[in-house]
Amino acid sequence: MISVVTKWWCLPGREQEAVAALKDLVQQVKDGEPDTLMYCLHTAEVTGSLPPPTPNEVIFMGAWTSRQAFDDHRTGKIFTDWLEKHLDLFVQNDNRLYVSAEFADRFAGFVRGAAIG
């Protein structure tokens, strides 16, 4: 299994539109990518965070059965079609999504059933 934490940034003033589009992406991935084990999106909680994030930050926490499954997600039809349609909602660099990504190898932990959904 491979886990990934990424951050994207919505364009100022387009946060609600971006969140709505991302909810659609989550459903498509859930329905169409069985090797995606976890795909959780969060908006930044500025209060109490150190250092404080920008309010337009989106945090992804995902897990896949393998690095290949992640690569298949990233280059697959669901994600690439979605990104082509919604890229204009997010900060870009050279017409590409500006993103930070950190891969992680989980060595302990759990997800409670109440967290699923």
Side-chain angles (χ1 to χ4, degrees):
M1 181 176 82
I2 187 76
S3 298
V4 182
V5 176
T6 63
K7 293 182 181 182
W8 299 9
W9 293 266
C10 306
L11 289 177
R14 309 229 24 218
E15 294 90 351
Q16 289 182 358
E17 191 178 353
V19 166
L22 287 165
K23 286 180 179 180
D24 178 57
L25 175 61
V26 168
Q27 190 61 54
Q28 289 185 56
V29 170
K30 182 179 180 182
D31 293 343
E33 295 183 6
D35 288 335
T36 302
L37 303 175
M38 179 177 75
Y39 202 68
C40 299
L41 282 69
H42 305 79
T43 52
E45 180 60 48
V46 176
T47 304
S49 294
L50 295 174
T54 60
N56 63 328
E57 186 174 284
V58 176
I59 303 129
F60 287 73
M61 290 184 232
W64 286 263
T65 56
S66 65
R67 177 63 188 256
Q68 184 62 54
F70 169 76
D71 289 340
D72 291 347
H73 160 74
R74 189 178 50 80
T75 61
K77 184 168 176 48
I78 291 172
F79 183 71
T80 58
D81 285 358
W82 181 91
L83 188 59
E84 183 178 325
K85 184 177 178 182
H86 298 290
L87 180 61
D88 65 321
L89 300 173
F90 301 95
V91 173
Q92 299 173 41
N93 185 18
D94 291 330
N95 296 318
R96 296 182 64 180
L97 179 66
Y98 182 78
V99 60
S100 73
E102 186 172 332
F103 291 91
D105 185 14
R106 184 170 65 183
F107 66 89
F110 63 91
V111 177
R112 293 195 191 275
I116 299 171

